[in-house]
Amino acid sequence: GLTWDDIDFESKIIHIRHSLVKLNHQESQLKDHCKTASSERLCTMTDGVCEILKGLKEEELKKKGEV
């Protein structure tokens, strides 16, 4: 359950601090915390992953008309 706020493009770090809970076959809910404290963690990104995510974010903002 990542949001763009969880991604630090400058430091190339992804913050894992939410969980996505499946409610049924078609619906999910983003929880504002992980199931356990040990589930919260930081993951470093490679340059390639960072560039891909930047591109995806830009595409999303364009679709929303925010760029």
Side-chain angles (χ1 to χ4, degrees):
L2 294 175
T3 65
W4 291 120
D5 291 336
D6 296 322
I7 300 171
D8 182 343
F9 290 106
E10 190 173 308
S11 299
K12 296 182 184 166
I13 294 175
I14 299 173
H15 300 267
I16 310 297
R17 51 185 164 212
H18 307 284
S19 60
L20 192 62
V21 178
K22 194 165 191 166
L23 301 176
N24 56 46
H25 292 292
Q26 297 177 348
E27 295 180 308
S28 299
Q29 181 181 21
L30 185 65
K31 297 287 187 176
D32 62 352
H33 60 281
C34 290
K35 189 173 179 180
T36 65
S38 63
S39 295
E40 292 190 26
R41 56 201 178 276
L42 302 175
C43 296
T44 56
M45 293 186 281
T46 63
D47 292 338
V49 169
C50 191
E51 291 305 311
I52 290 169
L53 290 176
K54 282 180 183 178
L56 290 172
K57 183 177 182 181
E58 187 173 321
E59 280 181 35
E60 187 175 300
L61 293 174
K62 282 180 184 177
K63 286 180 184 178
K64 291 181 178 181
E66 296 178 19
V67 171

